[in-house]
């Protein structure tokens, strides 16, 4: 009995406290396991971000089902369902971009009439020079 008291004073763990800690750890582990089973797994570089289901308030619901408009897109719902079930990988949408900048060319129609006359004269001169050679 003296050795038990010395161990407790020296900082040895109490068996009752150790058992309680083990029980809490196992409970936490079980809760995490249940949570991980319901959460979608990781497939691909992105993380699945599920949205909350859309619903209508009682004031917004009409009395006739014929007048009720479906709030979501079926294709989008199917796509997110496939991502949630790890049949499609989750990625960020890539915006399209050009490799090279577009060249800006000034059209003849947008030039002033005097400028067009000058350009036509210059072209005629070039043609005459080519013909004379």
């Amino acid at each position: 009995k003296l050795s038990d008291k010395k161990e407790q004073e020296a900082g040895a763990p109490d068996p009752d406290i150790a058992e309680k800690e083990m029980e809490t750890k196992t409970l936490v582990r079980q809760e995490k396991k249940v949570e991980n089973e319901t959460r979608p797994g990781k497939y691909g570089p992105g993380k699945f971000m599920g949205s909350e289901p859309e619903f209508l308030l009682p004031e917004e619901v009409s009395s006739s089902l014929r007048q009720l408009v479906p709030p979501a897109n079926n294709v989008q719902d199917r796509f997110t369902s496939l991502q949630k079930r790890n049949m499609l990988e989750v990625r960020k949408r890539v915006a399209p971009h050009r490799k090279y900048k577009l060249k800006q060319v000034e059209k003849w129609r947008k030039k002033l009439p005097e400028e067009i006359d000058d350009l036509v004269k210059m072209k005629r001169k070039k043609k005459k020079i080519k013909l004379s050679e």
Side-chain angles (χ1 to χ4, degrees):
K1 290 184 179 181
L2 291 175
S3 62
D4 290 339
K5 290 182 182 178
K6 287 181 182 178
E7 286 180 9
Q8 288 179 357
E9 290 175 6
D14 188 26
D16 295 334
I17 295 173
E19 286 177 21
K20 290 178 183 177
E21 288 178 6
M22 289 294 288
E23 288 176 10
T24 56
K25 285 182 182 180
T26 54
L27 287 174
V28 169
R29 261 192 241 121
Q30 289 173 354
E31 289 174 4
K32 282 186 180 180
K33 188 175 182 181
V34 169
E35 186 178 311
N36 286 340
E37 287 174 356
T38 59
R39 189 178 59 195
K42 182 150 172 112
Y43 178 68
K47 185 177 180 183
F48 179 75
M49 301 298 286
S51 62
E52 295 294 322
E54 296 179 11
F55 62 92
L56 296 174
L57 297 174
E59 300 88 37
E60 297 171 346
V61 177
S62 63
S63 60
S64 172
L65 288 176
R66 289 184 182 177
Q67 295 174 353
L68 190 65
V69 179
N73 183 0
N74 290 337
V75 176
Q76 185 67 28
D77 287 344
R78 182 69 62 151
F79 189 75
T80 53
S81 172
L82 288 172
Q83 285 182 336
K84 185 176 182 181
R85 293 184 285 154
N86 290 330
M87 294 181 174
L88 284 178
E89 62 182 8
V90 182
R91 289 183 173 257
K92 291 181 181 176
R93 178 172 273 168
V94 178
H97 64 282
R98 292 188 182 273
K99 192 170 185 179
Y100 302 108
K101 288 185 177 179
L102 289 176
K103 292 182 180 179
Q104 292 185 352
V105 179
E106 194 172 314
K107 298 283 184 178
W108 278 64
R109 286 180 238 127
K110 295 197 176 186
K111 293 188 178 183
L112 296 172
E114 302 90 36
E115 293 176 0
I116 293 175
D117 291 339
D118 294 339
L119 289 171
V120 170
K121 288 177 186 176
M122 287 175 58
K123 282 192 174 186
R124 287 183 184 159
K125 285 182 184 178
K126 286 183 183 178
K127 284 184 181 178
K128 285 182 184 178
I129 293 172
K130 284 184 182 178
L131 290 174
S132 62
E133 291 176 358

